[in-house]
Amino acid sequence: MGKQHVSRREFLKLGMVATAGAAAVTAFPKFTMAQVNTVSLSDCLEMGPEEMAENSRLVMDSWKYILDTVATIQDPDIRSGVQGILRDPAPTLMADLMDSANREEVYHEMLSKGLIKDISFDKFLPLTRNPYRPPHPFIAAPGSGYSSHHSYPGGLVSHTALNTMVSLSICEGYKQVYGYALDRDVVIASQVLHDLHKPW
């Protein structure tokens, strides 16, 4: 295997990135895993998703981190928009789709464009009791289905908190090393909302 030459300048840049990353890790909020609540399986099975999330120290620390971080968004319109979605993550398009004719029209258009496959009309965007409310709150949503990542009540919150922390750390690293001033408001909003319809 041949040797690779790394210039002094490249080596210093790599060192600065590593230092910025280490500094960012120390700036992360301390999640208090020592105070974990222990719940029996039978008690857990009696809980709904929201109660499970509220009894998880990991989820509640993650939720507090997200809310505190969103509160630092400087642009009031972006901040209030993100806070509104966290409070009520129902997709606004669902109200129009409660009408059967509208749903059928959208279904056939998507089908004709190849955007949906193997989904019958009766399974397409199932009706809900109230299209203006999500089936459960953001805090209780899983991060994915049960065969994938963070598939527990509150998994979306812990997943989102970590992504936000890592993104802000990368932002800070680019600022320190290269002098890039990324828009912190956009970084926070994009990470907090990257899975905004998972509660649905």
Side-chain angles (χ1 to χ4, degrees):
M1 183 185 257
K3 292 183 180 180
Q4 290 185 330
H5 176 72
V6 176
S7 73
R8 181 175 184 275
R9 179 182 172 97
E10 289 169 332
F11 179 78
L12 290 174
K13 278 185 183 179
L14 289 171
M16 288 170 68
V17 169
T19 302
V25 166
T26 62
F28 284 171
K30 302 297 182 237
F31 283 26
T32 53
M33 295 308 289
Q35 299 172 4
V36 171
N37 298 334
T38 303
V39 178
S40 70
L41 178 59
S42 60
D43 287 344
C44 187
L45 293 174
E46 294 293 320
M47 296 179 188
E50 194 169 355
E51 190 178 0
M52 286 180 191
E54 288 170 352
N55 275 280
S56 165
R57 174 63 62 187
L58 171 64
V59 174
M60 295 312 293
D61 284 350
S62 297
W63 185 236
K64 181 180 182 327
Y65 171 79
I66 290 169
L67 295 178
D68 290 349
T69 303
V70 168
T72 69
I73 293 175
Q74 297 294 306
D75 184 303
D77 292 333
I78 296 174
R79 183 175 60 247
S80 68
V82 172
Q83 289 168 333
I85 291 170
L86 290 175
R87 276 191 309 274
D88 183 13
T92 55
L93 63 89
M94 288 307 293
D96 289 338
L97 295 175
M98 293 298 281
D99 176 88
S100 184
N102 286 346
R103 265 177 72 243
E104 195 162 354
E105 183 180 339
V106 170
Y107 173 78
H108 288 296
E109 182 177 347
M110 292 180 75
L111 197 61
S112 71
K113 293 181 178 179
L115 298 173
I116 55 173
K117 295 178 184 174
D118 304 323
I119 298 173
S120 61
F121 178 68
D122 62 318
K123 302 271 194 238
F124 175 69
L125 299 174
L127 296 176
T128 181
R129 278 184 235 124
N130 183 347
Y132 300 101
R133 303 295 310 161
H136 50 242
F138 194 96
I139 193 170
S144 67
Y146 284 107
S147 60
S148 191
H149 66 89
H150 305 90
S151 58
Y152 49 88
L156 175 60
V157 171
S158 59
H159 168 68
T160 299
L162 178 62
N163 281 6
T164 305
M165 287 179 198
V166 169
S167 296
L168 288 173
S169 171
I170 291 170
C171 242
E172 187 57 32
Y174 270 91
K175 182 179 177 184
Q176 288 183 30
V177 176
Y178 300 112
Y180 293 162
L182 301 175
D183 189 328
R184 190 174 182 278
D185 287 359
V186 172
V187 171
I188 294 169
S190 62
Q191 280 304 322
V192 169
L193 301 181
H194 83 277
D195 279 334
L196 76 148
H197 287 318
K198 283 191 175 175
W200 192 265

